[in-house]
Amino acid sequence: SDVTKRVSGSARPVRDSCGVSRVDTFLDIQRVGRMVTRHLDNRLRCVAMTSGQYQALAALDVADPPVMGAVAMSLGMDRTTLTANLKPMERWGMVSVIADENDGRARRLHLTESGRETLAKARPIWMQAEAEIIAGFGSRNADDLRVTLAALVEALNNSAKP
């Protein structure tokens, strides 16, 4: 596919600070991340939502309103970033942030009816955008990619431990 060609063709050797030639894997991962985000953001524009906002709303679409820390962890971000991402959605009435009744320091994130309606409009768009990427990439490649990404997340989580 065109995306695969651009990414695989981008793996140019670079020289590190010691002059050793290597492939910059992180550059390729970040480039793909930006491309996927742009693809999703373009598709979600018709519902006035970004891919990050969609992911946050989808994470709140559960029976028991989750606490902020758990949502941040599930999205791979820190609480401060999640708070900044939720502020506009809170102003728009899609999300409410309420102190936990058992622990006043913890904040529970509630998806409002407006948030549910917006998510319901956005979900088929998200699914279509994902289907477009998989169609160009191949379902077997997509399955392999999910396994590889899960291994990368585990490796990153393990490397962050003291």
Side-chain angles (χ1 to χ4, degrees):
S1 83
D2 188 39
V3 171
T4 306
K5 288 177 194 167
R6 278 187 279 181
V7 172
S8 64
S10 71
R12 294 185 195 95
V14 295
R15 297 214 178 268
D16 66 17
S17 59
C18 299
V20 175
S21 182
R22 61 179 175 74
V23 174
D24 194 336
T25 303
F26 289 148
L27 176 64
D28 288 340
I29 291 169
Q30 289 177 322
R31 181 179 294 120
V32 169
R34 286 189 295 270
M35 292 172 74
V36 168
T37 298
R38 188 169 37 254
H39 176 79
L40 294 168
D41 286 349
N42 286 338
R43 299 309 184 278
L44 291 168
R45 189 171 291 135
C46 64
V47 289
M49 175 179 278
T50 66
S51 58
Q53 291 167 336
Y54 173 87
Q55 291 170 9
L57 287 183
L60 303 183
D61 192 21
V62 293
D64 187 30
V67 294
M68 179 120 23
V71 173
M73 184 179 295
S74 75
L75 295 174
M77 62 178 62
D78 59 55
R79 289 172 44 113
T80 306
T81 302
L82 178 60
T83 298
N85 288 334
L86 289 174
K87 286 291 182 193
M89 291 186 288
E90 193 175 9
R91 281 193 309 272
W92 301 330
M94 299 162 119
V95 173
S96 61
V97 181
I98 300 172
D100 184 276
E101 56 190 50
N102 298 321
D103 179 357
R105 296 169 299 163
R107 300 285 177 252
R108 293 227 172 245
L109 305 175
H110 297 259
L111 187 60
T112 66
E113 191 55 40
S114 172
R116 277 186 184 58
E117 290 169 6
T118 302
L119 186 59
K121 290 176 191 171
R123 185 168 278 130
I125 297 166
W126 178 277
M127 292 171 69
Q128 178 61 38
E130 182 178 29
E132 291 167 8
I133 291 174
I134 290 172
F137 190 57
S139 60
R140 182 173 176 173
N141 287 335
D143 291 342
D144 291 345
L145 177 62
R146 280 189 277 282
V147 169
T148 301
L149 291 173
L152 178 58
V153 167
E154 185 176 343
L156 289 169
N157 283 336
N158 288 337
S159 72
K161 293 179 183 171

